[in-house]
Amino acid sequence: VGLDPQTRNKIWDYIFTARKKDNMTIFLTTQYINEAENCDRVAIIDHGKIVAIDTPDNLKKMVGGDIITLRTTDNKRAVKEFHFKFPQGKIKHIGKEIQIETDRGDEFIPILVKTITPRITSLVLHRPTLEDVFLELTGRKIREENNGKIKEEEAPFDLASFLSLFAPLPEEKKEEKEEKIEEEKKEE
């Protein structure tokens, strides 16, 4: 169940204020991956096990560079032409879309347009998001059976993975966090 924007913002303001004012740890679970961008640490859980845990920025670095998502009039041909010109290039054909990972997407797009002959019908460039991390680590957007119904899976509860959420931060990150808290106190 979603919230209207005003209520959602009010709740987030309350959470941020409580965290800052009381130097409080807040344990948050969410199905909205974009909300996790606001967290200091994020755990990605798949089948009841933590598959990754780190800061949002570090998790996004795991995915790699920019992601170019495109559709063409002939995706199979476009993928073949891409592989011929860039044999080491990272490309995935997912459904009706092609995804290419590259370090400098803004510079690569003009080269790509000249390389493939099928007409490009859509093209989007974006930096990796936590959703990209989730998809990379779990390998799927949604678990469905062939008939389109969501498959119910028994995900065992993994106590060790859950407890790792409360493990202390590595010393360097702990120092960074303490410095940040001190700066915030000085600002007040």
Side-chain angles (χ1 to χ4, degrees):
V1 176
L3 298 172
D4 62 83
Q6 294 89 352
T7 304
R8 185 172 179 266
N9 286 339
K10 194 166 197 145
I11 289 171
W12 275 108
D13 286 344
Y14 175 79
I15 290 170
F16 290 137
T17 302
R19 183 173 82 176
K20 185 176 179 180
K21 180 180 170 194
D22 300 327
N23 193 23
M24 181 185 300
T25 297
I26 296 176
F27 185 81
L28 170 77
T29 62
T30 182
Q31 295 296 319
Y32 301 105
I33 294 177
N34 65 321
E35 290 182 340
E37 294 281 352
N38 300 314
C39 299
D40 295 325
R41 288 190 350 166
V42 174
I44 295 181
I45 302 171
D46 188 35
H47 290 288
K49 293 193 185 261
I50 294 175
V51 294
I53 184 169
D54 210 331
T55 65
D57 286 340
N58 286 341
L59 287 172
K60 289 185 267 187
K61 288 176 189 172
M62 290 172 50
V63 174
D66 293 344
I67 308 290
I68 300 170
T69 304
L70 69 143
R71 290 182 181 200
T72 71
T73 54
D74 187 349
N75 285 345
K76 286 183 183 180
R77 183 173 175 183
V79 169
K80 283 182 185 176
E81 291 174 354
F82 179 89
H83 278 301
F84 180 77
K85 180 76 174 181
F86 309 102
Q88 304 302 318
K90 295 181 181 180
I91 187 169
K92 295 178 187 176
H93 189 177
I94 303 170
K96 296 180 180 181
E97 296 179 336
I98 300 170
Q99 285 190 344
I100 299 169
E101 180 185 330
T102 183
D103 290 332
R104 302 281 311 181
D106 56 332
E107 294 174 6
F108 185 71
I109 287 173
I111 298 166
L112 176 66
V113 169
K114 292 177 185 174
T115 300
I116 60 173
T117 56
R119 186 173 60 82
I120 296 173
T121 58
S122 71
L123 186 140
V124 177
L125 169 67
H126 72 275
R127 297 284 314 145
T129 63
L130 287 177
E131 183 173 340
D132 296 322
V133 175
F134 179 84
L135 295 175
E136 184 72 24
L137 293 173
T138 64
R140 55 206 164 265
K141 286 188 179 181
I142 193 166
R143 295 181 180 102
E144 292 183 357
E145 292 181 344
N146 291 339
N147 62 5
K149 293 184 179 176
I150 294 175
K151 183 172 125 178
E152 292 185 30
E153 298 178 359
E154 290 281 330
F157 178 74
D158 182 6
L159 182 60
S161 288
F162 177 73
L163 292 175
S164 72
L165 290 171
F166 302 100
L169 290 171
E171 197 58 39
E172 63 187 42
K173 291 185 182 181
K174 188 176 181 182
E175 290 172 7
E176 288 175 18
K177 188 157 184 117
E178 288 171 356
E179 289 173 7
K180 187 177 177 182
I181 291 169
E182 287 299 317
E183 288 176 17
E184 290 174 355
K185 285 181 181 178
K186 288 177 185 176
E187 290 175 3
E188 292 176 355

